[in-house]
Amino acid sequence: MLKKLKKNYFLLISIFLILYFFFNFLDGERGLFSYFKKKEILISLQNKEKNLTNKIKNLEFKNSLLSDKLDLDYVETLIREKFLFGKEAETLYIIKKNDN
């Protein structure tokens, strides 16, 4: 038995090493399965980041509308759209006051 082991020593060591590297390639902390799990987590985090950046941009835009200088034309457009104020074939005249 010992003679057979000594005779096939190189074969046994090479089989052991191949199996060891194969299992570590598939499983383990940095294996193939772990790679795919981490890739899914990365994709979901990127989607969350895009959603959060969109929310931040939306909030920054809304915050910019809260300034002291109002765009009255934009406010009028919003009122007409939201409250259906005005008629369809309506003509709008803008009168500017000259404050000298």
Side-chain angles (χ1 to χ4, degrees):
M1 176 79 174
L2 194 57
K3 287 183 182 181
K4 288 184 182 180
L5 285 176
K6 286 184 180 181
K7 198 176 200 182
N8 296 324
Y9 181 73
F10 179 74
L11 182 65
L12 290 173
I13 296 295
S14 61
I15 289 175
F16 174 74
L17 287 175
I18 289 172
L19 288 174
Y20 175 77
F21 286 118
F22 179 72
F23 283 118
N24 281 326
F25 172 73
L26 291 179
D27 198 22
E29 192 172 318
R30 293 184 283 173
L32 189 64
F33 297 134
S34 178
Y35 170 75
F36 287 124
K37 288 178 188 176
K38 289 177 183 177
K39 192 172 182 179
E40 287 177 17
I41 292 171
L42 179 66
I43 290 171
S44 67
L45 287 176
Q46 287 174 343
N47 289 336
K48 286 181 183 179
E49 182 184 10
K50 286 179 185 177
N51 289 337
L52 289 175
T53 54
N54 287 337
K55 286 181 182 180
I56 288 172
K57 286 180 184 177
N58 190 15
L59 286 174
E60 286 177 351
F61 175 71
K62 288 179 181 179
N63 193 21
S64 70
L65 294 176
L66 296 174
S67 66
D68 293 336
K69 298 178 183 178
L70 291 177
D71 185 7
L72 296 177
D73 293 332
Y74 182 68
V75 172
E76 181 186 5
T77 306
L78 285 177
I79 289 172
R80 289 181 184 275
E81 287 177 1
K82 298 290 182 184
F83 299 117
L84 301 174
F85 187 76
K87 297 181 181 169
E88 205 169 293
E90 181 180 49
T91 305
L92 181 66
Y93 297 100
I94 299 174
I95 302 173
K96 293 184 179 181
K97 291 184 181 180
N98 290 335
D99 293 331
N100 290 333

